[in-house]
Amino acid sequence: MDLGRRVAAVTAPALVRGLLDDAAVFPPGLLPLPDAARAHARHRSAAHADAVGPLVVPSSALAEPEALEPIGDAALSVTVPAGPAGVADALAATRFSLRALEIPVPDEMTADSLRSALERVREATDAEVFVEIPRDARRAEVLALLAPLGCRAKFRTGGVRAELYPPVPELAEAIEAVVRAGVPFKATAGLHHAVRNTDPETGFDQHGFLNILLAVDSALRGGTDLERLLADRDAAGIAERVTCLGEQRVRAARERFASFGTCSITDPLTELAGLGLIPDDLAHPQGATA
């Protein structure tokens, strides 16, 4: 069996199922909410629908329910910039199916206070709860309390400023810690390409989502090469590594690396097809854009 046929038959479904959270309304995409809702509805009916996660919106968008009507019964993931204190208002405002809440940890909040707040959140909703892990000394304490509460982690992997991109050693340490804690996670911002790269417009070094997948696989097996895997820019070599994982290891890695937010649903799929990791017709269905 040739490489392309093997990947399409074995690896692709596990590799991309639910991988792409639709974050079209966030930078750098900044698609107006009505346009994002209509585009999301198209993605949910396209050939790549199984790869598409929820539409991610800020809690402020819940004040515009008419703009969200095109999504129908599709699920939302709601970011709550105010942290746990803003969850009650977000829950009261949403009229749509809620898949997840994404909650940052305020700078002044201790791990003990966060635990109490998350206990209240878990009592108030059955939605998945993603806690954005702070990039400071609280990280280990925050990660330790998530599994007992049934919460998930969220890592910021980039943004509109260079300092929002965690350096390779920091991200490697975070992945090793979250895998060791047994906590699934999602990533947000900055994962614009499958493989690590330097953005020609900004000059920012950007992490690759396939690099993260391979780092998670290595962490699950007790590997010590996470930094090397995250720093690797050899797209063909990375694609070959992903192919060689096989279905079982891809599934195991995806159980931990649940998804990432992307402003474009089609761009990551196009890159994966170009690398021979998914069928071309999955990446280029008729009628799907953005």
Side-chain angles (χ1 to χ4, degrees):
M1 183 180 294
D2 64 44
L3 174 61
R5 288 178 60 84
R6 176 188 170 196
V7 173
V10 177
T11 307
L15 177 63
V16 300
R17 187 173 296 118
L19 178 66
L20 308 174
D21 289 349
D22 189 348
V25 302
F26 292 91
L30 295 174
L31 200 64
L33 184 59
D35 295 341
R38 287 191 291 270
H40 187 74
R42 292 194 295 271
H43 290 305
R44 300 293 298 185
S45 61
H48 56 248
D50 284 347
V52 182
L55 179 65
V56 186
V57 298
S59 55
S60 58
L62 300 177
E64 304 177 58
E66 66 285 350
L68 289 166
E69 289 296 340
I71 70 170
D73 60 358
L76 292 177
S77 185
V78 176
T79 65
V80 188
V87 168
D89 288 343
L91 291 177
T94 186
R95 306 178 192 176
F96 297 88
S97 175
L98 183 63
R99 171 79 62 82
L101 293 167
E102 304 183 20
I103 307 172
V105 182
D107 290 343
E108 70 281 0
M109 180 169 272
T110 65
D112 286 341
S113 296
L114 177 63
R115 178 185 293 106
S116 299
L118 290 177
E119 287 173 348
R120 293 191 292 272
V121 171
R122 298 304 290 146
E123 292 173 354
T125 180
D126 293 328
E128 293 177 344
V129 176
F130 287 87
V131 178
E132 185 170 329
I133 306 303
R135 294 176 60 193
D136 56 34
R138 297 173 295 167
R139 183 178 67 191
E141 288 183 291
V142 171
L143 278 174
L145 63 84
L146 297 187
L149 293 173
C151 296
R152 299 184 168 207
K154 173 179 172 180
F155 290 116
R156 186 163 295 278
T157 47
V160 296
R161 303 188 309 277
E163 63 268 23
L164 295 176
Y165 290 81
V168 164
E170 179 185 337
L171 184 57
E173 185 177 332
I175 291 173
E176 184 175 29
V178 77
V179 169
R180 187 169 57 246
V183 176
F185 72 95
K186 70 168 290 183
T188 184
L191 296 180
H192 300 304
H193 296 283
V195 177
R196 184 169 176 80
N197 65 95
T198 300
D199 187 294
E201 295 184 4
T202 65
F204 298 163
D205 289 327
Q206 298 179 334
H207 298 289
F209 61 84
L210 290 182
N211 299 78
I212 291 178
L213 181 84
L214 290 172
V216 170
D217 170 73
S218 181
L220 285 168
R221 296 179 294 110
T224 59
D225 58 348
L226 274 65
E227 289 188 27
R228 180 176 62 80
L229 291 169
L230 290 172
D232 192 353
R233 295 171 182 250
D234 177 8
I238 286 175
E240 178 67 20
R241 282 179 176 271
V242 172
T243 301
C244 291
L245 293 182
E247 183 177 21
Q248 184 175 356
R249 282 170 62 180
V250 168
R251 287 184 182 277
R254 284 296 320 284
E255 285 176 2
R256 300 302 179 89
F257 179 24
S259 63
F260 69 94
T262 175
C263 291
S264 169
I265 295 296
T266 54
D267 285 355
L269 295 173
T270 298
E271 287 199 25
L272 291 172
L275 292 170
L277 292 173
I278 61 173
D280 188 68
D281 58 0
L282 189 65
H284 302 288
Q286 294 183 352
T289 60

